[in-house]
Amino acid sequence: LMSTAYNLLLSTTKEITPLFSANLGVVYTPGTHIAIVLPSLQYNLSDRWDINLVWQSFYADMNDSFQAVTYRVFLRAKWSF
């Protein structure tokens, strides 16, 4: 859930090789001037196993300047059956 009525989402994906891809997403809320940057990498280990590395960067308008608030990194393994 977002704290504003309107949000802007931009997303793109690039397949680097058939097994490896990169994604980038950006969410911006114009009412509160919050931005979230979501880059990620995905690698297919096999037909059933994927590994994702996801980075989340949160930015906000604080003290009359746009600053980084926090960063988070996740590593996910996914098994499809």
Side-chain angles (χ1 to χ4, degrees), residues 3-78:
S3 61
T4 61
Y6 300 102
N7 304 304
L8 176 65
L9 170 65
L10 299 172
S11 178
T12 187
T13 301
K14 172 67 176 168
E15 186 178 277
I16 298 166
T17 70
L19 299 176
F20 184 64
S21 64
N23 306 309
L24 177 64
V26 178
V27 179
Y28 178 69
T29 60
T32 56
H33 303 293
I34 295 173
I36 305 169
V37 180
L38 305 159
S40 66
L41 300 172
Q42 179 176 339
Y43 185 73
N44 295 348
L45 295 172
S46 69
D47 290 341
R48 296 185 174 208
W49 284 98
D50 295 331
I51 291 194
N52 294 72
L53 179 67
V54 179
W55 182 281
Q56 296 177 342
S57 301
F58 298 88
Y59 299 90
D61 191 11
M62 298 171 39
N63 301 327
D64 296 327
S65 67
F66 205 63
Q67 299 179 22
V69 177
T70 186
Y71 304 102
R72 297 199 175 148
V73 178
F74 302 95
L75 182 63
R76 178 180 82 159
K78 182 174 77 169

